[in-house]
Amino acid sequence: MKQQAGFTLIELVVVILILSVLAATALPKFMNVTVQAHEAAVAGAGGGMSSAVALAHAQWVANGETGANTTGLNGFGNDDVRMSANGWPTSTGGSTSTSPTNARCVQLWNGLMQNPPPVGTAAGTVDYVAAGAGTVCTYTYQPASNMSIQYDLSNGSVTVDSNSAS
């Protein structure tokens, strides 16, 4: 008589059931990690932008500036950031107007932050799409278009909307 070695059908079914229950409870947690990663990416970039704006303003004050700076902020970045009459960054290309264009929003993003995520004026291979309207530059996060960063050139405020539930 030959001895059979292996698992019985009942043992295999029990193992499959246990694995199914584990997968059903763990899978939603793993899927939510992607959303949390996107939220963290936007919050991190927004924090970097907010810090950069505050540092530029502090440099403007430390330099003894009292009005718009059309030649570039000495001692900050590449010394090419232009400042408004109230001391907030407006561009890197000469304009001190607080009415941004899409291109000036891209300039600000790249001129204020060190090694920022890719930004452009149209969707494609960039992480953020920049758009200027009124006094605000809006940077919309492409992997999750309901998340964005807004920078108001008139008062230096940076608002981060990284909550995907909104």
Side-chain angles (χ1 to χ4, degrees), residues 10 27 38 68 74 87 89 94 99 101 104 115 118 124 129 133 136 138 146 153-154 158 163:
I10 303 251
L27 189 60
H38 288 305
N74 190 24
S99 299
T101 64
R104 284 183 44 223
N115 302 315
V129 171
V136 177
T138 300
N146 59 340
L153 283 68
S154 66
V158 176
N163 186 354

Side-chain angles (χ1 to χ4, degrees), residues 48-49 52-53 56 76 81 89 92 107-114 151:
M49 182 68 162
V53 168
F76 183 85
V81 175
T92 60
Q107 288 176 4
L108 280 168
W109 182 267
N110 292 322
L112 289 171
M113 294 196 289
Q114 292 180 348
Y151 165 56

Side-chain angles (χ1 to χ4, degrees), residues 39-92:
E39 290 173 350
V42 174
M49 182 68 162
S50 181
S51 295
V53 168
L55 287 170
H57 184 72
Q59 186 68 52
W60 180 81
V61 170
N63 289 353
E65 305 270 352
T66 57
N69 180 312
T70 59
T71 59
L73 183 59
N74 190 24
F76 183 85
N78 294 329
D79 295 338
D80 61 352
V81 175
R82 304 318 195 259
M83 306 296 280
S84 70
N86 294 324
W88 300 110
T90 58
S91 74
T92 60

Side-chain angles (χ1 to χ4, degrees), residues 94-152:
S95 178
T96 59
S97 168
T98 57
S99 299
T101 64
N102 296 354
R104 284 183 44 223
C105 291
V106 171
Q107 288 176 4
L108 280 168
W109 182 267
N110 292 322
L112 289 171
M113 294 196 289
Q114 292 180 348
N115 302 315
V119 66
T121 57
T125 60
V126 296
D127 291 348
Y128 293 86
V129 171
T135 62
V136 177
C137 284
T138 300
Y139 304 95
T140 304
Y141 185 60
Q142 292 308 288
S145 61
N146 59 340
M147 297 182 209
S148 62
I149 300 164
Q150 296 85 32
Y151 165 56
D152 190 330

